[in-house]
Amino acid sequence: MTRTTTPTTTTTGATTTVVASDLDRTLIYSAAALALDMPDHEAPRLLCVETYQARPQSFLTETASWLLAELAAEPGVVFVPTTTRTREQYRRVNLPGPPPRYAICANGGHLLVDGVTDQDWHAAVRRALAADCAALAEVRDHLRRSADPAWLLKERDAESLFTYLVVDRALLPETWAKDLAEWAEPRGWAVSLQGRKLYAVPRPLTKSAAVAEVARRTGAGRVLSAGDSLLDADLLLAADHGWRPGHGELAAAGWSAPRVTALAETGVRGGEEILRALLADVRA
């Protein structure tokens, strides 16, 4: 899905490094995902970076906020938030540091340049999905018919690119996500269970493809990445060096790969550790 038009940014040479990081449960954390398993008086100070309907939603540690601002300002670094969130959900997040020139939303379906969707990229993604995958309507219909109202809280269309369910994890049968993945795989779709959200995403819809496009436009010589879920595996594998925290789908599966560092810290402190590692790498 590489564009053939002239890049919209000036090539900066091989010293440029793209740092592409997942957001939720990698850099930023909901209250339920903070994992503050220490006495209250020892808990780190937190910075709220997202509100929804006037309520705080997502946090990082105060130290992580400084590290992120330093990373984004580092010479030669192009920091790229890389998320499965829709554009609307992404725009609720107010990260420390300057607004990123590039951001990737909808798992690679939208490449934002200065906050605006690149329509050429989006059109190329849609052509790839139409050619290689079962239609979104078929997948949503299967989910509606097979999900149990006892544990299904919501079913959502994400930018008409993929779908996800909000579920009661305590009531969700242990094998249901696995069964869904087996049904989806021959239809060109993947399944990922992250907290209360169960995603069904077309396999060609990847973060790594969009990050490769950013690297092409910026002339980057290196790509660093971070992520915690199965939907981040392609992003980690495509990078020169990647990091995952000690929690999430990848950690639970014991997933590892060359050039991917598995960190021990979990929860919001895991996000801080990832930022320390990224900053140390670009300064090495």
Side-chain angles (χ1 to χ4, degrees):
M1 292 182 290
T2 301
R3 292 178 59 189
T4 57
T5 52
T6 302
T8 57
T9 58
T10 301
T11 299
T12 55
T15 58
T16 298
T17 299
V18 166
V19 178
S21 179
D22 175 52
L23 292 180
D24 295 279
R25 293 171 61 88
T26 298
L27 292 190
I28 67 176
Y29 292 79
S30 68
L34 290 172
L36 298 176
D37 54 355
M38 71 286 287
D40 288 343
H41 69 277
E42 295 179 5
R45 293 177 60 174
L46 301 175
L47 174 68
C48 177
V49 292
E50 179 190 13
T51 59
Y52 179 59
Q53 296 180 344
R55 295 183 178 182
Q57 295 292 308
S58 298
F59 307 84
L60 41 64
T61 69
E62 188 176 67
T63 299
S65 74
W66 300 335
L67 294 169
L68 179 54
E70 288 185 28
L71 177 66
E74 193 72 15
V77 167
V78 179
F79 173 67
V80 185
T82 307
T83 181
T84 305
R85 286 178 176 237
T86 65
R87 289 170 294 173
E88 179 183 358
Q89 292 167 339
Y90 167 70
R91 286 169 179 145
R92 298 199 302 253
V93 178
N94 186 13
L95 295 172
R101 175 77 196 281
Y102 296 99
I104 293 164
C105 297
N107 214 63
H110 285 283
L111 172 57
L112 306 187
V113 183
D114 294 327
V116 178
T117 290
D118 184 300
Q119 294 297 342
D120 289 345
W121 175 259
H122 183 61
V125 169
R126 288 203 173 275
R127 287 194 297 269
L129 301 190
D132 297 336
C133 305
L136 174 62
E138 178 185 346
V139 177
R140 293 188 73 187
D141 180 64
H142 178 79
L143 290 175
R144 292 190 190 101
R145 287 186 287 105
S146 58
D148 188 337
W151 49 258
L152 177 62
L153 304 178
K154 299 176 185 176
E155 189 265 343
R156 290 288 185 264
D157 176 304
E159 306 254 24
S160 297
L161 290 166
F162 62 94
T163 185
Y164 64 92
L165 309 180
V166 181
V167 303
D168 185 329
R169 283 293 296 268
L171 298 178
L172 180 71
E174 289 186 10
T175 62
W176 197 86
K178 180 177 181 292
D179 293 342
L180 176 62
E182 291 176 353
W183 177 89
E185 197 277 332
R187 293 166 175 81
W189 286 66
V191 172
S192 174
L193 182 60
Q194 304 176 37
R196 297 193 311 145
K197 292 184 178 179
L198 188 147
Y199 294 89
V201 178
R203 288 197 175 276
L205 187 67
T206 64
K207 296 177 178 181
S208 60
V211 169
E213 175 65 6
V214 174
R216 185 189 71 82
R217 296 188 191 192
T218 58
R222 298 182 72 225
V223 174
L224 307 179
S225 67
D228 71 290
S229 79
L230 290 175
L231 293 178
D232 297 315
D234 70 285
L235 177 66
L236 294 170
L237 290 170
D240 295 281
H241 195 169
W243 289 263
R244 68 161 177 84
H247 62 258
E249 282 184 304
L250 297 178
W255 184 89
S256 63
R259 306 189 309 277
V260 177
T261 299
L263 300 174
E265 287 284 4
T266 61
V268 72
R269 291 171 299 175
E272 184 177 310
E273 187 177 11
I274 285 171
L275 286 166
R276 289 187 192 279
L278 288 167
L279 192 58
D281 189 288
V282 300
R283 287 178 172 175

